[in-house]
Amino acid sequence: MNGDGNGWIRCGQGHRHWGVHGAAGLLLRHLGPGVETRVLMQHRAVWTSDGDTWGIPGGARDSHETSVQAALREAAEEAGIEPSAVEVLGELVDDHGGWAYVTVVARVIGPLTVLANAESAELRWVTEDEVEGLALHPGFARSWPAVRSLHASVAGGEASHDRTG
């Protein structure tokens, strides 16, 4: 059912989360100026859950979706990212007991234009070192060290194929 993932749930740790079937987001990388790897960050609109913080495009997973499908759908909705322009490299699961957030790591493989929807105050390509200087979404801030480590391990040797259009 389309949209059946929307809603709040409490995990085994007692936290309140959006996404009754869990949630997923897309950490997208590409080579920026000077062959420097950059990741796409989303400045969340003030009215969203944990608004006015930075994270990655993502949201609730519907019951019929895999985490990758949910992350790609959310990235298309929130940032205009065409799934055909990215290649999925790996996933990192942040399991809270009865609820999980999956960060899907991907790289740009084709022409890409990003366009923010109403859930985004801004979309910005930043270096990995710049990520920590942003006011991060609390969940993303907790998972960023592990996500960055996964990102580095799956991204090795892929840089020559990154491009944006």
Side-chain angles (χ1 to χ4, degrees):
M1 292 176 45
N2 206 13
D4 72 347
N6 291 332
W8 294 99
I9 189 170
R10 287 223 180 257
C11 70
Q13 298 175 10
H15 304 134
R16 186 174 167 230
H17 300 282
W18 182 254
V20 296
H21 306 292
L26 186 71
L27 178 72
L28 187 58
R29 67 185 293 274
H30 85 92
L31 287 181
V35 229
E36 191 171 39
T37 300
R38 295 185 178 266
V39 295
L40 181 65
M41 296 296 293
Q42 175 193 44
H43 187 193
R44 301 167 57 82
V46 173
W47 60 267
T48 64
S49 173
D50 291 303
D52 198 27
T53 60
W54 289 85
I56 56 177
R61 184 175 63 84
D62 291 336
S63 63
H64 66 280
E65 292 180 306
T66 65
S67 297
V68 170
Q69 290 169 331
L72 292 173
R73 176 184 49 77
E74 288 285 343
E77 291 173 6
E78 296 178 4
I81 295 169
E82 290 293 327
S84 62
V86 305
E87 177 186 24
V88 173
L89 302 172
E91 301 175 42
L92 180 78
V93 179
D94 183 12
D95 189 348
H96 288 232
W99 186 90
Y101 188 94
V102 178
T103 300
V104 175
V105 177
R107 67 182 178 106
V108 175
I109 60 167
L112 180 73
T113 302
V114 295
L115 179 64
N117 77 352
E119 293 181 50
S120 306
E122 177 185 358
L123 296 169
R124 184 189 306 169
W125 291 100
V126 301
T127 66
E128 289 185 339
D129 290 338
E130 291 172 319
V131 169
E132 294 165 6
L134 300 172
L136 297 177
H137 178 283
F140 184 76
R142 282 188 302 273
S143 65
W144 173 241
V147 170
R148 187 174 186 178
S149 177
L150 171 69
H151 179 225
S153 71
V154 298
E158 301 290 337
S160 63
H161 301 289
D162 286 348
R163 65 178 189 261
T164 59

